[in-house]
Amino acid sequence: MSAGTVIIMRQNRIIRAFREAGATFADNAKLLADLRRRNSLVFRRLVSKGVIVKCDNEKYYIDNRAADTFLINRRRKVLIALFVTVASIVLILQFIQ
């Protein structure tokens, strides 16, 4: 499994944990320990992108709109990379023949 795949899986787990816990607003914010999550690099990147929002009291919640936008953009980037890879292979095979 590639590193990119592992990162995507971890991001998905974090997003799912917040959604399942109902931590979708500041009033429902949760401690990381309550969600059995740690302050990992993947988690901090989600915070820096605004997907996860930190409250004043060391609690966090998910911004669903930002999360949905993040997931859509990530999907778009994967599809573009896949398209470029396939197009490159097709071009290489045409030049070989």
Side-chain angles (χ1 to χ4, degrees):
M1 197 175 305
S2 72
T5 304
V6 171
I7 290 170
I8 288 172
M9 289 172 55
R10 289 182 181 171
Q11 289 171 340
N12 289 343
R13 277 192 222 128
I14 292 168
I15 290 170
R16 188 172 41 253
F18 276 88
R19 286 182 171 165
E20 289 176 356
T24 55
F25 297 100
D27 295 341
N28 299 341
K30 306 284 184 195
L31 293 169
L32 286 178
D34 295 341
L35 300 173
R36 294 192 171 130
R37 298 287 153 211
R38 58 189 180 88
N39 193 2
S40 65
L41 176 62
V42 174
F43 178 80
R44 289 191 302 272
R45 288 181 78 194
L46 289 173
V47 172
S48 72
K49 296 200 179 283
V51 174
I52 305 293
V53 181
K54 183 178 180 181
C55 297
D56 295 335
N57 54 3
E58 295 299 317
K59 291 185 177 182
Y60 297 87
Y61 67 95
I62 187 168
D63 179 338
N64 275 320
R65 181 179 287 171
D68 291 340
T69 301
F70 173 79
L71 294 172
I72 289 167
N73 288 338
R74 188 181 69 190
R75 226 174 270 128
R76 186 177 296 138
K77 288 175 189 175
V78 168
L79 289 174
I80 289 170
L82 181 62
F83 175 77
V84 168
T85 301
V86 170
S88 298
I89 290 171
V90 168
L91 287 173
I92 290 170
L93 290 175
Q94 284 185 348
F95 282 120
I96 290 175
Q97 296 176 359

